[in-house]
Amino acid sequence: MADKGMIIRITGPVVEASGMNGARMFEIVKVGREALIGEIITLEEDVATIQVYEETAGITPGEPVERTGSSLSVELGPGLLGNIYDGIQRPLRDISAGWGDFISRGVSLPALSREKEWDFIPLRKPGDQVIGGDIIGEVQESPTIPHRIMVPPGISGTIRDLAPAARYRIEDTIATIETAAGPVRISMVQRWPVREGRPYTRKLDPVEPLITGQRIIDTLFPIAKGGTAAVPGPFGSGKTVIQHQLAKWADADVIVYIGCGERGNEMADVLAEFPSLQDPRTGEPLMKRMVLLANTSNMPVAAREASVYTGITMAEYYRDMGYDVALMADSTSRWAEAMREISGRLEEMPGEEGYPAYLGSRLADFYERAGRVTVCGSQGSTGSVSVVGAVSPPGGDFSEPVTQNTLRIVKVFWALDSDLAYQRHFPAINWLLSYSLYGDAVRSWWHEHTAPDWDDRRREMMALLQKENELEEIVKLVGPDVLPETDKLVLLEAEIIRESFLMQYAFHPVDTYSDPARQYRMITAMFRFFSLAAEAVAGGVAVELIRGLPVKRRLARMGAIPPEEEEGQFSDLMQTMELQIRGLEV
Amino acid sequence: MESSSREYTSVTKVVGPLIIVDNVAGIGYGEVVEVTMPSGEKRLGQVLETLTTRAVVQVFGGTRDLDTETTRVRFTGESMKIPLSPDMLGRVFDGVANPRDGGAPVIPEELRDIYGSPINPYTRENPRDPIQTGISAIDGMNTLVRGQKLPIFSGAGLPHNLLAAQIARQARVLSQEEEFAVVFGAMGITHEEAGFFLKDFRSTGALEHAVVYLNLADDPAIERIITPRLALTAAEYLAFTRDMHVLVILTDLTNYCESLREVAAAREEVPGRRGYPGYLYTDLASIFERAGRIRGREGSITQLPILTMPDDDITHPVPDLTGYITEGQIVLSRDLHRKGIYPPIAVLPCLSRLMKGGIGPGRTREDHADVNNQLYAAYAQGIRLKSLVAVVGEEGLSETDRTYLRFCNRFETEFVGQGLTENRTFTTTLDIAWNLLSVLPEDELKRIDLRFIERYHPAHRKGSNE
């Protein structure tokens, strides 16, 4: 059996080994005497090139390379939620318990606890016909998420035995299924190769918005459940804060958060903050619906490359149970750079800016794994994976390859702007550059949940902001005085939209999240102000006087009104603005 | 792996800082190499690539005077390590950790790999203790927090050294008397610059608490690749083994990146932007990410790297990639410097990502976040109006706009500008801010909670105090 090769070359994270006849692409191998985990990325005759997921210092040519016969896979089962993993699903919490505060190499631990017992409740009975994706039982993984134990994809037959309700460990057999190829034993854990999307029955069109509580996103540039979005921006423009805000407040059942090549202190921030935050809908700690992947920038680069696949495979697994899952990848540029680094070591012919020629297709493959689908199994339920990828373009230049290749695929573009960030206008999403192609898909949801004029208001807001931009050009040339009063009013209206609605303070306990009803209320208040102001201006009142009204300051603080005072404060606000603006006309 | 050392004379190729040694066997990746020159001089090197019978070695002392005949190369079988002990404090070393101050070598308490291991993200402590640097533009607008990495983006001829030395002198955490240390790593700076820092450390007594690694402009350029790692290994030892709060000043990171580019070019690697290697981000991260705090341990590492932006270009790969790794940046401005404002901190592009956790009641003051927010908004508005004034003249502006202009000018001279030895407390900084904000109509202070306006606005304060 030629299942052992020998190292002939080492350069950084890339190792070459000879004597690898019969090895397959993307097969996992154990490299060197310390059995470091690596993956085959090219094959030439009997020489395999391997990217190693750990530090390679000290390894020498001549050391063995052992094949495992399987591809890079993740373990899927109860215990994922609330956990924190590295890029190849090694449990960081358990590693710190066993190996201390620094990550040493050669650490090998199962991703899911083998000892922990779960309360299993069977939902089918012996004799039932089942196919892949069918739910045969349930485990209460977190207070709000029942973890549905599914028949793994590709297995179908008759249930011969099904374990009774009791406590089991994840590797215990809970069912035996009589298939055409003989009996198959099923436990609560599945393995799935990360580079392969999990199967589903049918892709569906997105129809429902992923409500994020972020006003500029939900109202102007919505993302649908099962949709894809990109957040590119130069450093300091707030990409990570937006990703954190979505992870906190998005109305998905499960969140997968990938810290891909980013800062260790940011992960510490998530770990410190999220367990203390409550899900606004369930009242449970947000951490209990989350899986965290942390492959910080100083951790091995090959594992960074793998981390996005590891993350999306977990997301698909929860989707298959019929949940809405949202995945945040921060940042996909670091992933692309990891590809570039590996590709450079392979001396591949580079494409644009040194990125490999397959950059575009890899990005497309990844984002295509998002979507709203009818999941496998006879129950025919629906699940979704929404993907939000941060992009970190060098120098904030959106024409670079990662941004451009991403924009070709995603449907929502939240362009972050350093000028807005410098003014501390957050979220620094530029309303002129950004777009969402889900506006039409989610319109009927909004009409149903707020009012039938939602879409009109949204369009009017966009038009006002656009008009402001044109007028600003004129102001820059000739100064603000020469504009007619109606144009001055447009400037005032756009200013109110920006300051009262688009700007949202992520660290304010109330302003951080506005539910759809609140967003609509705020829009109504602003438009009431606009129409009163238009009447006043038509009656000869100078816009400058309206701008000076104290009620404007109250509009700017609408987002911070505590929910229990919402009703009273808003109706008072409406009355006050009417009094103050009408007062000018006398 | 048996640490047998093997010596060869089979150097077959010398290119730039690299040598290629053939007919070798069992050479480990990353091994330390000792190169003996024809003259008998010894230089340090490291294996960059290893094949069955060949090794590519980078020579930190440079390859001048090396030949392919008599040069001997000894592979040590060891990774690169430095000796560590508390006796390092007060000492000055060169770029490869040999004493530079004429003192004896450090008697090691411990030898440690200079590349270190990544801190497990799970065990990191969220940094939240604000450091008072005494500089308003930092404390008020971009508060530095213990365990943070906050670089200074500067340009040739700007006073970044003065600023760094002032921070090293004044930095302290309120109401805490703890053991602190400064680790100073210099890459390719001039004798004069190094002399400035040493003199400053000496005159203030800071040198006793400092460990200094100097690779100067005329020292071998390739050495610079390891100098910051020596400094950080020493810092990790002092912080996490000796429970000290360590401030690491690294200057100048741009020189470090140049050295990295030199090696990459010699290896004929596929270049990324501006000829820098594609792995520059990962490499810089392996330096910057060695800042932080660890749960359950006393010490901390705060990094203050300095880099000069070629042609003041913040989109140059070095500042750009740095900004993506560090937790913010302090940017110096040539305009402010020309106006005679010290420190010339261009507040708008500055950022401290960890500020929000480090300020507020019990840390600095309850109004800090709102005041900071308002100052930013008002200053940005002032700057915007300044460019408008250039076109339409001041008469074209409204009365409110003119107050913004006044605010903007006073902000630069009174808030940003301060003395070289002026050490302002958080309270002083915030009080100056309120004085400036009171120039603006009160209705314009939309970002500040009404409670704070009532409590801190000078107009209200007078009323309540009398």
Side-chain angles (χ1 to χ4, degrees):
Chain A
M1 259 290 276
D3 61 354
K4 261 201 182 151
M6 190 180 81
I7 298 177
I8 55 171
R9 177 173 181 236
I10 303 150
T11 162
V14 173
V15 165
E16 280 174 22
S18 64
M20 299 291 286
N21 308 57
R24 289 181 298 111
M25 277 293 274
F26 298 119
E27 184 174 340
I28 290 294
V29 293
K30 304 241 166 113
V31 177
R33 276 184 282 271
E34 287 180 74
L36 308 181
I37 302 168
E39 185 180 20
I40 296 180
I41 48 174
T42 60
L43 284 168
E44 192 175 346
E45 298 192 5
D46 75 329
V47 176
T49 310
I50 299 156
Q51 61 175 350
V52 182
Y53 291 125
E54 296 185 69
E55 180 55 48
T56 51
I59 301 180
T60 59
E63 288 189 40
V65 173
E66 196 186 323
R67 287 170 45 200
T68 64
S70 57
S71 322
L72 183 63
S73 304
V74 286
E75 284 189 352
L76 302 167
L80 289 172
L81 294 181
N83 222 328
I84 171 168
Y85 295 105
D86 78 350
I88 50 171
Q89 213 200 8
R90 283 183 299 192
L92 291 172
R93 194 180 293 153
D94 299 346
I95 288 178
S96 79
W99 279 267
D101 298 336
F102 295 87
I103 298 177
S104 42
R105 71 179 184 193
V107 173
S108 152
L109 274 179
L112 297 172
S113 165
R114 293 293 183 267
E115 304 308 318
K116 189 171 162 86
E117 291 183 338
W118 299 90
D119 274 315
F120 173 78
I121 302 157
L123 294 175
R124 302 295 282 263
K125 55 185 187 309
D128 283 0
Q129 288 288 327
V130 289
I131 57 172
D134 274 353
I135 294 161
I136 53 170
E138 213 170 69
V139 156
Q140 199 67 35
E141 183 177 8
S142 87
T144 50
I145 308 282
H147 190 113
R148 296 170 184 147
I149 307 296
M150 297 172 289
V151 176
I155 294 175
S156 61
T158 316
I159 300 178
R160 197 173 73 188
D161 300 307
L162 185 61
R167 294 175 74 78
Y168 299 96
R169 286 176 296 199
I170 55 168
E171 283 186 317
D172 295 340
T173 300
I174 50 148
T176 309
I177 294 174
E178 202 63 60
T179 70
V184 177
R185 298 210 299 207
I186 292 179
S187 70
M188 287 191 274
V189 61
Q190 299 186 13
R191 295 189 66 81
W192 191 264
V194 298
R195 293 185 197 276
E196 198 177 313
R198 286 175 61 88
Y200 51 84
T201 306
R202 198 171 36 252
K203 264 217 167 148
L204 304 168
D205 286 334
V207 288
E208 198 181 307
L210 182 73
I211 295 297
T212 65
Q214 311 306 301
R215 297 187 289 264
I216 184 165
I217 292 178
D218 290 349
T219 298
L220 291 189
F221 309 109
I223 174 172
K225 283 186 176 141
T228 50
V231 205
F235 61 81
S237 56
K239 284 183 298 296
T240 302
V241 176
I242 287 185
Q243 294 273 40
H244 284 192
Q245 286 295 91
L246 296 192
K248 283 176 199 165
W249 309 122
D251 68 338
D253 301 305
V254 173
I255 303 281
V256 178
Y257 191 96
I258 310 173
C260 173
E262 287 287 311
R263 304 175 182 88
N265 279 336
E266 273 169 6
M267 295 319 286
D269 189 29
V270 172
L271 287 170
E273 191 186 2
F274 281 41
S276 65
L277 289 174
Q278 271 187 1
D279 188 328
R281 294 163 306 140
T282 61
E284 291 295 328
L286 284 173
M287 200 64 199
K288 295 210 168 144
R289 62 164 188 171
M290 244 176 116
V291 190
L292 266 180
L293 268 80
N295 216 87
T296 55
S297 52
N298 56 338
M299 287 158 75
V301 65
R304 191 194 306 165
E305 195 269 330
S307 65
V308 297
Y309 295 106
T310 303
I312 196 141
T313 308
M314 293 177 182
E316 285 172 338
Y317 175 65
Y318 281 98
R319 172 204 69 190
D320 290 348
M321 295 178 206
Y323 290 121
D324 290 316
V325 185
L327 177 138
M328 280 91 211
D330 185 16
S331 146
T332 58
S333 292
R334 305 299 160 229
W335 169 47
E337 279 163 17
M339 275 191 253
R340 173 167 75 181
E341 189 170 335
I342 303 289
S343 161
R345 303 265 186 192
L346 298 179
E347 294 165 14
E348 287 174 344
M349 182 69 84
E352 247 180 304
E353 290 193 18
Y355 285 104
Y358 45 80
L359 172 71
S361 59
R362 291 275 170 93
L363 282 167
D365 282 350
F366 168 67
Y367 280 104
E368 266 306 290
R369 288 173 73 172
R372 185 167 157 267
V373 301
T374 304
V375 301
C376 292
S378 37
Q379 58 275 27
S381 46
T382 309
S384 71
V385 174
S386 316
V387 173
V388 179
V391 184
S392 319
D397 171 14
F398 291 166
S399 68
E400 59 91 39
V402 182
T403 313
Q404 285 307 315
N405 278 303
T406 305
L407 286 186
R408 286 219 301 270
I409 314 155
V410 300
K411 298 281 196 307
V412 181
F413 174 47
W414 297 319
L416 299 184
D417 184 334
S418 50
D419 283 339
L420 289 175
Y422 291 170
Q423 298 162 30
R424 296 304 188 260
H425 174 114
F426 286 117
I429 297 176
N430 182 312
W431 46 87
L432 297 172
L433 294 177
S434 304
Y435 59 77
S436 163
L437 304 182
Y438 295 119
D440 291 338
V442 303
R443 185 171 47 201
S444 52
W445 185 94
W446 275 94
H447 288 174
E448 214 171 284
H449 288 79
T450 57
D453 63 346
W454 177 80
D455 196 50
D456 295 338
R457 292 291 181 238
R458 172 173 179 259
R459 285 171 201 277
E460 282 170 56
M461 281 165 76
M462 292 294 283
L464 279 170
L465 292 166
Q466 186 66 44
K467 188 82 204 287
E468 180 195 34
N469 185 49
E470 289 161 19
L471 292 175
E472 286 286 342
E473 294 295 315
I474 300 172
V475 168
K476 266 186 212 148
L477 290 176
V478 294
D481 275 351
V482 295
L483 292 181
E485 288 296 303
T486 46
D487 282 351
K488 284 186 188 163
L489 182 61
V490 170
L491 289 181
L492 175 66
E493 289 173 347
E495 183 189 320
I496 289 174
I497 294 174
R498 283 189 282 114
E499 290 185 348
S500 310
F501 191 75
L502 300 186
M503 218 152 76
Q504 190 170 2
Y505 192 48
F507 306 113
H508 187 283
V510 177
D511 201 22
T512 184
Y513 175 83
S514 294
D515 63 27
R518 166 70 67 100
Q519 295 188 29
Y520 182 72
R521 224 185 260 264
M522 292 173 73
I523 295 172
T524 312
M526 287 191 305
F527 277 90
R528 178 72 187 138
F529 185 95
F530 298 167
S531 66
L532 287 167
E535 278 171 34
V537 170
V541 175
V543 173
E544 207 48 41
L545 288 175
I546 302 173
R547 184 185 294 274
L549 289 176
V551 74
K552 196 171 145 247
R553 191 155 87 175
R554 281 187 62 191
L555 274 177
R557 294 168 202 271
M558 281 186 296
I561 297 173
E564 60 277 12
E565 297 170 21
E566 189 170 327
E567 205 74 40
Q569 285 226 29
F570 269 93
S571 68
D572 181 58
L573 180 65
M574 297 292 228
Q575 283 168 8
T576 313
M577 67 172 80
E578 193 155 341
L579 275 174
Q580 291 190 2
I581 297 178
R582 295 244 158 99
L584 295 171
E585 286 172 61
V586 186
Chain B
M1 175 77 209
E2 59 279 31
S3 64
S4 62
S5 65
R6 298 128 295 169
E7 196 163 46
Y8 299 91
T9 53
S10 46
V11 176
T12 53
K13 191 170 169 187
V14 183
V15 43
L18 306 182
I19 57 174
I20 289 167
V21 194
D22 273 317
N23 304 320
V24 296
I27 303 302
Y29 175 73
E31 241 183 75
V32 171
V33 175
E34 190 183 82
V35 181
T36 309
M37 315 280 298
S39 63
E41 184 199 336
K42 286 184 169 36
R43 286 184 189 163
L44 209 57
Q46 190 178 20
V47 175
L48 278 190
E49 181 175 340
T50 165
L51 293 93
T52 314
T53 61
R54 167 182 279 194
V56 180
V57 175
Q58 65 176 345
V59 184
F60 293 121
T63 49
R64 188 151 42 95
D65 295 334
L66 237 143
D67 69 356
T68 52
E69 296 272 304
T70 55
T71 299
R72 296 202 309 276
V73 181
R74 188 170 70 84
F75 294 88
T76 61
E78 297 275 342
S79 61
M80 189 145 329
K81 294 193 169 82
I82 57 162
L84 296 166
S85 121
D87 299 339
M88 297 182 302
L89 291 168
R91 300 291 306 272
V92 181
F93 303 94
D94 69 6
V96 282
N98 299 311
R100 200 181 180 121
D101 53 6
V106 168
I107 298 165
E109 193 165 88
E110 193 179 331
L111 283 171
R112 224 181 256 185
D113 189 324
I114 66 162
Y115 287 88
S117 298
I119 300 177
N120 186 331
Y122 179 75
T123 64
R124 276 184 187 267
E125 173 90 78
N126 199 14
R128 298 199 65 176
D129 299 335
I131 296 178
Q132 181 178 295
T133 66
I135 293 162
S136 293
I138 297 178
D139 293 353
M141 309 294 281
N142 297 285
T143 316
L144 175 67
V145 171
R146 236 175 212 176
Q148 184 171 13
K149 40 195 182 291
L150 190 65
I152 298 175
F153 286 6
S154 184
L158 295 179
H160 44 264
N161 290 340
L162 288 174
L163 179 61
Q166 188 175 4
I167 294 173
R169 229 170 25 234
Q170 299 181 169
R172 65 191 194 92
V173 170
L174 294 179
S175 73
Q176 286 182 32
E177 281 304 319
E178 284 152 333
E179 279 206 89
F180 74 98
V182 175
V183 173
F184 184 77
M187 288 89 76
I189 65 171
T190 62
H191 277 270
E192 208 179 313
E193 286 173 292
F196 164 79
F197 277 106
L198 288 178
K199 206 172 110 200
D200 197 84
F201 289 166
R202 257 186 213 114
S203 66
T204 56
L207 193 60
E208 303 166 39
H209 304 280
V211 190
V212 178
Y213 294 93
L214 296 179
N215 165 284
L216 300 182
D218 56 353
D219 288 332
I222 302 307
E223 238 175 65
R224 282 164 210 163
I225 293 175
I226 55 174
T227 310
R229 300 195 157 85
L230 301 178
L232 287 162
T233 309
E236 279 173 1
Y237 168 78
L238 294 173
F240 302 130
T241 307
R242 294 272 151 201
D243 294 340
M244 297 174 108
H245 291 284
V246 185
L247 177 69
V248 182
I249 299 175
L250 299 172
T251 180
D252 175 329
L253 259 302
T254 309
N255 293 335
Y256 168 83
C257 296
E258 305 269 301
S259 298
L260 212 59
R261 177 163 70 175
E262 196 178 327
V263 174
R267 297 186 65 193
E268 298 175 10
E269 289 175 7
V270 180
R273 281 173 72 215
R274 300 232 188 155
Y276 290 98
Y279 48 81
L280 185 61
Y281 178 85
T282 307
D283 191 278
L284 284 173
S286 72
I287 293 176
F288 295 138
E289 276 293 321
R290 291 171 81 173
R293 308 198 62 167
I294 295 178
R295 233 179 295 144
R297 301 207 195 197
E298 276 300 309
S300 66
I301 297 180
T302 309
Q303 275 191 36
L304 203 66
I306 299 170
L307 60 88
T308 48
M309 302 182 279
D311 198 26
D312 295 350
D313 176 10
I314 200 169
T315 66
H316 182 278
V318 176
D320 190 52
L321 294 178
T322 300
Y324 276 121
I325 306 166
T326 53
E327 284 123 5
Q329 64 279 335
I330 300 294
V331 184
L332 301 191
S333 141
R334 206 166 288 280
D335 279 347
L336 290 180
H337 184 57
R338 281 203 202 100
K339 284 187 197 164
I341 291 168
Y342 172 85
I345 296 177
V347 171
L348 294 186
C350 291
L351 175 71
S352 165
R353 291 166 192 273
L354 301 183
M355 177 174 184
K356 66 171 168 65
I359 60 171
R363 299 184 187 277
T364 57
R365 210 168 76 181
E366 54 180 355
D367 56 330
H368 196 157
D370 284 10
V371 168
N372 166 60
N373 218 323
Q374 186 69 59
L375 287 174
Y376 261 106
Y379 184 54
Q381 174 72 352
I383 295 282
R384 200 181 68 86
L385 289 168
K386 265 193 186 177
S387 62
L388 196 57
V389 166
V391 184
V392 298
E394 210 164 308
E395 315 75 66
L397 298 182
S398 69
E399 181 49 38
T400 312
D401 286 349
R402 279 196 288 268
T403 62
Y404 270 104
L405 284 182
R406 275 199 299 280
F407 166 83
C408 181
N409 290 329
R410 286 187 59 189
F411 178 79
E412 287 177 0
T413 49
E414 295 172 34
F415 187 86
V416 177
Q418 66 183 82
L420 262 174
T421 53
E422 191 180 348
N423 191 354
R424 295 181 184 160
T425 62
F426 279 119
T427 313
T428 312
T429 292
L430 288 171
D431 288 346
I432 295 173
W434 275 107
N435 275 331
L436 295 174
L437 288 174
S438 68
V439 170
L440 300 171
E442 207 180 303
D443 274 350
E444 289 292 311
L445 305 181
K446 289 176 216 144
R447 314 257 183 133
I448 305 182
D449 199 297
L450 294 171
R451 277 183 306 139
F452 300 144
I453 293 185
E454 278 159 24
R455 203 166 300 161
Y456 297 103
H457 194 289
H460 295 273
R461 268 195 186 184
K462 273 184 207 124
S464 64
N465 289 348
E466 279 158 17

